[in-house]
Amino acid sequence: LKDMLEVDASDPIAVVGRSKAVDEATLKALTQIVSGPSSSPEQRKRWPVQIAQDPIIKATASGDRLVLRFRCEDDVRVWCWKMAHQVFANEGAGLLYTQNVAFEYPCAPTNLSRLLRYVSEGVVVADASGKLVLAVADRNLAYPDAEYGFEGELLSKWIMRTVGRLNGTERYTTRDPPGFTDDEDDDLDTAFEKRWVSKAEEEDIDRAFADDAPE
């Protein structure tokens, strides 16, 4: 995995996709939302590390790799927590490939990982107005590609809703399929540490980093 994803970098980074070069307009559009909405004072009290402001993340490209760049290690920890607890609460999460990061378990929730993969594959790009939109033929989603409770939804609508969660216009807790979690997982302060990667999520990760990713 290291040989496939490693890039030349001295700052904290996460390589979140590998398929084809991402254009500057799309990188700019992703940068505008990937840090997530501003956190409230109450939310900040729950952060694993107390920092002066919300993390600021920049989306960049290194060849065919999609890279998120962080200002510092604390930004990595808070951003991962913020995505899991505030933006995509109650979702499964997959480990991120990082460099120059000591944090042992940097993760991204399922829907965020899927959006990043679509960006890296050119399925999602910036339109003329600078918003992330679907760039291929639309299709209806089926579980596990569909979010539970939204089976049959158009991919374009899922993109709009996921972008909305990142920019703060959509706020809700992701629903689990029946029997997926127990009552303990309803405590968001423990769910992040206890969540595992499902088979479907492993397949998502494999597709994201495969050498033969679709053109």
Side-chain angles (χ1 to χ4, degrees):
L1 185 63
K2 179 179 178 181
D3 291 340
M4 292 173 60
L5 299 178
E6 187 173 15
V7 301
D8 184 15
S10 58
D11 50 339
I13 66 166
V15 181
V16 294
R18 182 188 181 193
S19 181
K20 58 179 65 177
V22 180
D23 64 86
E24 287 298 324
T26 300
L27 292 172
K28 182 178 179 181
L30 181 58
T31 296
Q32 289 176 345
I33 63 170
V34 75
S35 299
S38 297
S39 302
S40 69
E42 287 303 312
Q43 288 169 330
R44 292 183 180 189
K45 290 178 182 178
R46 298 175 63 200
W47 286 353
V49 181
Q50 292 304 303
I51 55 179
Q53 64 182 110
D54 282 80
I56 297 176
I57 293 85
K58 183 177 182 180
T60 64
S62 179
D64 62 355
R65 296 160 178 82
L66 178 61
V67 179
L68 301 183
R69 295 187 178 274
F70 300 83
R71 297 174 303 177
C72 60
E73 173 91 13
D74 285 349
D75 270 14
V76 178
R77 295 178 66 90
V78 173
W79 180 78
C80 289
W81 192 97
K82 177 178 174 179
M83 291 297 111
H85 290 261
Q86 298 173 208
V87 182
F88 297 98
N90 200 46
E91 288 192 10
L95 285 172
L96 294 170
Y97 174 78
T98 57
Q99 292 178 217
N100 309 310
V101 174
F103 179 35
E104 191 173 0
Y105 298 110
C107 294
T110 301
N111 279 302
L112 175 59
S113 295
R114 190 169 291 146
L115 179 67
L116 295 173
R117 173 167 61 85
Y118 286 151
V119 171
S120 72
E121 293 175 352
V123 173
V124 171
V125 301
D127 65 8
S129 68
K131 296 180 180 179
L132 292 178
V133 297
L134 181 64
V136 299
D138 212 350
R139 61 185 174 90
N140 295 98
L141 297 174
Y143 188 79
D145 287 329
E147 187 178 326
Y148 177 68
F150 293 92
E151 293 87 348
E153 179 181 40
L154 286 171
L155 175 57
S156 58
K157 289 189 176 181
W158 174 86
I159 293 167
M160 290 177 59
R161 191 175 70 256
T162 304
V163 168
R165 296 175 84 173
L166 285 165
N167 65 27
T169 59
E170 290 270 359
R171 298 177 184 270
Y172 65 92
T173 297
T174 303
R175 295 171 58 195
D176 278 332
F180 187 73
T181 56
D182 57 30
D183 291 339
E184 267 191 321
D185 276 340
D186 291 334
D187 178 2
L188 294 180
D189 286 324
T190 62
F192 181 50
E193 288 79 12
K194 296 171 58 179
R195 191 71 68 187
W196 64 91
V197 179
S198 70
K199 180 64 177 176
E201 288 160 352
E202 288 178 354
E203 292 171 354
D204 273 352
I205 295 168
D206 288 341
R207 287 198 299 267
F209 299 131
D211 284 323
D212 59 348
E215 294 296 326

